[in-house]
Amino acid sequence: MTGNSEIDAYQALGKIKQEKLVIGDQLKASAFMDNMPNPDLKWEKTKQFDIGVELGLFNNRLNFDVSYYYKYTTDLLLERPLPRTTGYDKIMDNIGEVSNQGVDMLITAYPVQTDDFLWSSTVNLSFNKNRVEKLDKNSAVDPVTGKRQILLDGFTSYEMVIREGEKLSSFYGYKRAGIYDGVPSNWDPETMNIPSVIGEKVTYKERQILGCGIPDWTGSFINNFNYKGFDLTLDFQFTWGVDVMQEYFHSAESRFYTSGLSKIYTDAWHPTLNPNGTSQAVRLSNFGQGNNAQADDTWVANGSYLRLNLIQLGYTFTPKQLQKMGLSSLRLYGSVNNVFLITSSDYKGYDPDNSSRLDDNNWGANRQFFTYPRPRTFTLGVNVAF
């Protein structure tokens, strides 16, 4: 059983903060309580069970290291939202119970082993499944499902939801029914449905879970090749079964008056040129004048990716070659990091492996507003010993 030390100190206490304020024509010192205290705060506790097996086959040419784990966390620590009427917006609290279970696999193989050539290959796979098992009685009850839930970090009609029976880091918002063409007969106000576009009766008035920012699978695939004095390394990384909330759509699609994605030109709705368009119509002025800046399921993209993280080529001189140089060892190498990145077609950002929210927390993974692209770096190096 373990605790959780990854929170700020003194969260159970009401801390006093000092600032200077201009009152009238004078600068005055002020002091106020910066947070709501919680004297009932308790340790977060996690019980964990592990079991694993190691297996070597064919004279250890093929090796497996597989383990299964189960974690159950009680008195989960989280900054619970508060009504603004309290004077504060959150309080650190013990909010409930969460389970995590998964499998870690390490597979190492040596497909080729000769006097001059060696090829080693390593696959590292991790699978995780989490579930909110229980929330305390202070949590709100969802009127549709009847389950307790906590809503966090509201952003243009969507929030992060922690709901009993669901995964952590779930995106909670509206599903888009279609593009309203301005013809009243084509719009059903009861279902928010456009029969000519959707063709079926589905209720979109209630918010729902649109995706999850925590991946099912993460891993790497590393290959090392050695031929005489030459060595080559190829390092692949991947993530599978995860979603990204593209919050930059708020500015880059909805407010294309100042900036925009290419999809607003190729997918923009038009009554004759593109009646099946999935983006709102292009206007001369779309900043605050009839634009739709509200999040929905079209902002959610598949966040799975494959990255060639590293290529490195090197050469190590033999002792015979070094005798003439007066050196004990010498290796030359060159490498490229972040060689390429393959993402899903509906992801429009730079890199899905990046959360950019400044107010992000453990429940808000894979939320992107605006991010810098990851650089591609080239390195030349020498390792020498005299």
Side-chain angles (χ1 to χ4, degrees):
M1 181 187 294
T2 58
N4 179 7
S5 61
E6 300 302 315
I7 63 169
D8 294 335
Y10 311 116
Q11 292 296 298
L13 305 179
K15 295 172 289 184
I16 302 299
K17 184 176 181 179
Q18 291 184 321
E19 286 185 353
K20 291 184 178 180
L21 301 175
V22 176
I23 302 177
D25 58 353
Q26 295 182 345
L27 189 64
K28 300 287 188 178
S30 67
F32 56 92
M33 189 176 292
D34 190 38
N35 66 293
M36 179 173 283
N38 184 358
D40 298 325
L41 206 60
K42 297 181 290 186
W43 272 98
E44 177 180 302
K45 297 178 283 294
T46 298
K47 298 178 181 179
Q48 180 170 341
F49 166 80
D50 297 82
I51 186 171
V53 60
E54 295 181 8
L55 177 64
L57 303 174
F58 313 113
N59 293 324
N60 290 326
R61 293 279 296 274
L62 181 61
N63 300 279
F64 296 89
D65 186 346
V66 183
S67 61
Y68 167 81
Y69 63 87
Y70 181 82
K71 299 179 182 179
Y72 198 92
T73 300
T74 58
D75 296 321
L76 186 68
L77 288 169
L78 175 70
E79 290 182 331
R80 183 196 300 278
L82 291 175
R84 294 284 185 174
T85 52
T86 63
Y88 303 93
D89 58 358
K90 58 190 176 182
I91 182 174
M92 182 62 71
D93 203 357
N94 301 102
I95 62 107
E97 303 175 4
V98 174
S99 66
N100 278 274
Q101 58 181 319
V103 177
D104 293 325
M105 291 180 285
L106 180 65
I107 305 172
T108 305
Y110 300 90
V112 179
Q113 281 183 318
T114 67
D115 293 336
D116 293 328
F117 184 69
L118 172 64
W119 173 19
S120 64
S121 184
T122 302
V123 177
N124 193 340
L125 291 172
S126 295
F127 170 79
N128 177 266
K129 180 180 180 181
N130 69 77
R131 173 185 165 97
V132 179
E133 301 291 347
K134 181 181 178 181
L135 293 177
D136 69 354
K137 62 182 180 180
N138 293 323
S139 303
V141 176
D142 177 50
V144 177
T145 63
K147 297 180 179 179
R148 294 191 180 276
Q149 66 180 24
I150 297 175
L151 300 178
L152 302 165
D153 297 339
F155 184 83
T156 60
S157 79
Y158 101 91
E159 296 179 272
M160 307 303 299
V161 62
I162 303 175
R163 179 186 291 172
E164 292 177 335
E166 301 291 345
K167 296 180 179 180
L168 294 172
S169 195
S170 293
F171 310 131
Y172 183 63
Y174 293 102
K175 184 176 179 180
R176 182 177 295 189
I179 303 296
Y180 175 48
D181 59 7
V183 180
S185 61
N186 290 339
W187 176 48
D188 184 347
E190 292 301 318
T191 63
M192 298 294 291
N193 186 45
I194 304 168
S196 62
V197 176
I198 304 300
E200 59 182 74
K201 293 285 185 178
V202 181
T203 299
Y204 294 99
K205 284 188 173 183
E206 299 294 342
R207 290 192 293 177
Q208 55 192 279
I209 292 178
L210 304 177
C212 179
I214 298 179
D216 294 330
W217 290 92
T218 58
S220 63
F221 180 41
I222 303 174
N223 288 275
N224 293 293
F225 305 90
N226 296 87
Y227 177 70
K228 295 184 177 180
F230 292 93
D231 61 89
L232 174 66
T233 299
L234 300 176
D235 179 1
F236 293 88
Q237 294 180 350
F238 60 88
T239 295
W240 181 32
V242 65
D243 298 303
V244 175
M245 174 56 82
Q246 303 174 102
E247 293 181 357
Y248 48 83
F249 272 38
H250 176 267
S251 303
E253 183 185 44
S254 300
R255 292 180 172 178
F256 56 79
Y257 176 73
T258 53
S259 60
L261 297 166
S262 60
K263 73 185 294 290
I264 66 177
Y265 305 106
T266 59
D267 299 342
W269 180 89
H270 190 276
T272 57
L273 300 178
N274 193 18
N276 295 321
T278 57
S279 296
Q280 60 182 307
V282 177
R283 296 180 175 87
L284 293 178
S285 177
N286 202 42
F287 191 85
Q289 298 183 24
N291 66 313
N292 171 32
Q294 302 302 305
D296 57 42
D297 63 309
T298 64
W299 291 25
V300 180
N302 183 351
S304 303
Y305 69 86
L306 172 65
R307 185 198 314 275
L308 178 51
N309 187 55
L310 173 67
I311 295 180
Q312 185 174 96
L313 177 64
Y315 180 76
T316 302
F317 288 79
T318 64
K320 184 177 181 180
Q321 294 170 322
L322 293 175
Q323 287 179 355
K324 302 177 181 180
M325 305 179 190
L327 302 175
S328 60
S329 66
L330 177 63
R331 178 175 181 266
L332 306 177
Y333 67 92
S335 64
V336 184
N337 289 86
N338 193 28
V339 183
F340 66 76
L341 175 67
I342 300 175
T343 65
S344 64
S345 60
D346 57 346
Y347 176 70
K348 305 301 180 183
Y350 288 122
D351 193 332
D353 187 23
N354 191 351
S355 288
S356 62
R357 287 291 297 241
L358 296 178
D359 58 349
D360 209 6
N361 52 44
N362 293 333
W363 322 112
N366 273 10
R367 303 169 63 194
Q368 296 188 358
F369 197 60
F370 285 103
T371 62
Y372 289 102
R374 182 176 299 189
R376 179 177 296 117
T377 59
F378 300 84
T379 305
L380 295 175
V382 178
N383 294 330
V384 61
F386 298 94

